[in-house]
Amino acid sequence: MKAPKNQNILIYTALPKAKRLKVYIPFLMKAERECFKKLDSSYYHPQQNLWSLINTVENLKKIESLFGSKLLQVGESAPRGMPKIDLNRQGEAELEKTHQKMVLKGFSKNTVDNYKSSLKPFFKYFENQSLKSVTKEQIEGYVFELISKYKISESAQNTIINAIKCYYEHTLGLPREYYNITRPKKSQDLPNVLHINEVKKIINSPSNLKHKTILHTIYGAGLRVGELIRLRVVDIRSEEGYIFIKDSKGKKDRHTVLSKHLLELLREYYKIYKPAYWLFEGQTGGQYSSTSIQSIYRKAVKDTNGNPWSTPHTLRHSFATHLMERGTSLRHIQAALGHNSSKTTEIYTRVLAINNKTIKSPLDNMYESVSLDENKTTS
């Protein structure tokens, strides 16, 4: 089932004894997807590209209330999930070789797991053929079949292609450009950004000092949630005026700005909580969890009646946009965010305030000019 052009969220009519309600959320609806993830019992079925909740009347009402007019009920059964894969010895051996290569190259655990899951059905599909002899056209035919049969998402399609390229380029050592496989067109959706007054309300909402400091740090330094939970006490370089981010996305180190206001708040927090190693420790002394940060943010948004579609990452988007609105150079923003390319940072230029207070339409100029000319004529 493909989503309609107007990007409806689909809820499939549950069979009488169905245990879960199945929901399809289009790839471009990132904010809606994040909100659904926060619901109790939410679960993602990667092989079907569907989300679900336990099948109860209360949960159905929650879904209807959350998505409103965007929700479209369909009577057709949900798309089939991919069957369980059992590889032969050769397939298992190739999978293990690829696993070793990825570990040696320092791929993250999530990447390793995702690539292995994507390669298993690929190896099964071509188990009666030498994998070295598989052509680009055959690979594209395989991906097309997955899209047609299992309705895989654009992100899943890209993961499959990346996994296949990893196998051919790293495991088999073929040239990097040898398998230039066709990809889906990259979406150009805009990041969700909050007004600065709304940010102020949200980050000041928690009465708990640790929770308040966490939200201030995400926004004040433009951090990803993963970067925040990996911050160490020694990473706050108060004398030099920056925060050191170690092993951020892509395993790159970087510096980001240390706000004077945030430094005062961090000192107050440190005196009370006295963290030993990690800047923000959990109850048992280890790293703070990302789920706890999500909960802190959700409560702050709810308490301030903020944008329900926003997430902690929205604070990072807002950090970048607010810097750009104040005229901070693109290069400095790029460095603070840790982007490889300035093109990634340039997306924030597309969300700058565009309205009749910041830009004057030529239509207004035209009519104002005509009005002045008429006044001259009559006088």
Side-chain angles (χ1 to χ4, degrees):
M1 169 64 67
K2 290 184 180 179
K5 288 183 180 179
N6 60 354
Q7 293 292 294
N8 282 114
I9 294 168
L10 307 182
I11 180 167
Y12 293 91
T13 301
L15 296 174
K17 293 184 180 180
K19 294 182 179 179
R20 301 188 74 85
L21 298 165
K22 295 288 182 74
V23 179
Y24 171 78
I25 306 175
F27 175 72
L28 294 179
M29 293 187 169
K30 292 184 179 179
E32 288 84 347
R33 194 160 56 248
E34 287 298 319
C35 284
F36 190 90
K37 285 166 68 175
K38 298 169 188 173
L39 298 175
D40 291 338
S41 82
S42 67
Y43 184 79
Y44 180 60
H45 306 265
Q47 307 299 350
Q48 293 177 286
N49 188 27
L50 296 176
W51 291 87
S52 73
L53 289 182
I54 293 173
N55 186 9
T56 65
V57 175
E58 292 76 15
N59 280 340
L60 179 59
K61 288 179 180 178
K62 282 182 183 178
I63 296 170
E64 291 171 345
S65 174
L66 183 63
F67 297 131
S69 60
K70 297 178 184 177
L71 191 67
L72 177 66
Q73 184 156 358
V74 291
E76 304 173 30
S77 59
R80 288 182 296 162
M82 291 178 68
K84 186 178 178 181
I85 303 295
D86 291 317
L87 293 177
N88 59 20
R89 286 185 179 180
Q90 181 62 26
E92 289 288 356
E94 293 304 309
L95 194 65
E96 180 57 28
K97 282 184 199 174
T98 309
H99 174 85
Q100 290 180 16
K101 281 287 183 183
M102 289 190 288
V103 171
L104 289 171
K105 285 185 170 290
F107 285 23
S108 71
K109 184 180 182 302
N110 282 343
T111 301
V112 171
D113 291 343
N114 288 335
Y115 283 13
K116 286 178 69 178
S117 295
S118 297
L119 284 173
K120 282 187 76 173
F122 175 73
F123 290 160
K124 181 69 176 178
Y125 190 85
F126 291 105
E127 68 179 354
N128 295 320
Q129 179 178 346
S130 168
L131 289 166
K132 279 190 176 182
S133 69
V134 175
T135 65
K136 172 191 169 184
E137 288 71 25
Q138 285 179 299
I139 294 173
E140 290 183 343
Y142 165 74
V143 175
F144 175 77
E145 185 171 323
L146 294 183
I147 296 168
S148 304
K149 195 172 182 180
Y150 301 112
K151 317 301 179 190
I152 63 171
S153 66
E154 291 176 6
S155 59
Q157 187 179 338
N158 272 319
T159 300
I160 290 165
I161 292 170
N162 289 339
I164 292 170
K165 284 175 68 64
C166 173
Y167 170 70
Y168 281 100
E169 293 168 7
H170 299 314
T171 307
L172 298 186
L174 293 176
R176 185 171 182 178
E177 298 301 326
Y178 188 76
Y179 280 90
N180 187 21
I181 307 164
T182 304
R183 294 178 180 272
K185 185 178 179 181
K186 191 173 182 180
S187 61
Q188 296 293 319
D189 47 321
L190 295 175
N192 195 9
V193 174
L194 302 174
H195 188 275
I196 195 165
N197 291 338
E198 190 171 5
V199 171
K200 187 175 181 179
K201 289 179 183 177
I202 290 171
I203 66 177
N204 282 296
S205 174
S207 55
N208 180 290
L209 178 60
K210 180 187 283 187
H211 297 173
K212 183 178 178 180
T213 309
I214 284 172
L215 295 185
H216 272 74
T217 306
I218 293 174
Y219 172 70
L223 301 182
R224 302 176 178 95
V225 169
E227 293 168 348
L228 178 103
I229 62 179
R230 290 193 299 272
L231 277 182
R232 304 163 300 177
V233 174
V234 296
D235 293 331
I236 306 301
R237 309 292 173 84
S238 55
E239 291 297 322
E240 297 89 345
Y242 68 84
I243 298 175
F244 177 71
I245 311 298
K246 182 174 177 56
D247 289 340
S248 64
K249 191 173 181 180
K251 294 199 170 184
K252 302 186 300 290
D253 296 345
R254 77 173 193 277
H255 297 174
T256 188
V257 63
L258 174 58
S259 153
K260 292 178 181 178
H261 180 86
L262 175 60
L263 180 58
E264 291 177 7
L265 190 61
L266 284 168
R267 282 172 172 163
E268 182 184 353
Y269 158 78
Y270 184 83
K271 287 177 185 176
I272 295 174
Y273 287 90
K274 297 179 173 59
Y277 183 78
W278 301 111
L279 183 60
F280 297 106
E281 297 175 335
Q283 293 181 350
T284 58
Q287 281 182 319
Y288 213 72
S289 72
S290 59
T291 52
S292 295
I293 293 172
Q294 296 282 355
S295 298
I296 293 167
Y297 185 81
R298 285 201 303 270
K299 185 177 186 306
V301 168
K302 184 177 180 182
D303 291 346
T304 58
N305 197 27
N307 184 343
W309 304 113
S310 66
T311 68
H313 203 72
T314 306
L315 294 178
R316 175 175 158 89
H317 289 321
S318 302
F319 163 86
T321 305
H322 297 162
L323 282 178
M324 197 162 284
E325 286 175 342
R326 288 170 47 200
T328 306
S329 76
L330 190 70
R331 182 69 189 91
H332 282 141
I333 298 173
Q334 178 188 346
L337 294 175
H339 289 159
N340 278 332
S341 170
S342 60
K343 289 184 178 179
T344 309
T345 316
E346 284 170 5
I347 191 172
Y348 295 105
T349 63
R350 297 168 57 206
V351 294
L352 293 176
I354 301 295
N355 52 52
N356 60 11
K357 297 178 182 63
T358 57
I359 296 177
K360 192 168 186 177
S361 169
L363 184 68
D364 293 330
N365 288 332
M366 180 182 71
Y367 278 103
E368 287 174 6
S369 176
V370 170
S371 178
L372 286 171
D373 290 343
E374 288 175 350
N375 287 337
K376 288 178 181 178
T377 304
T378 54
S379 62

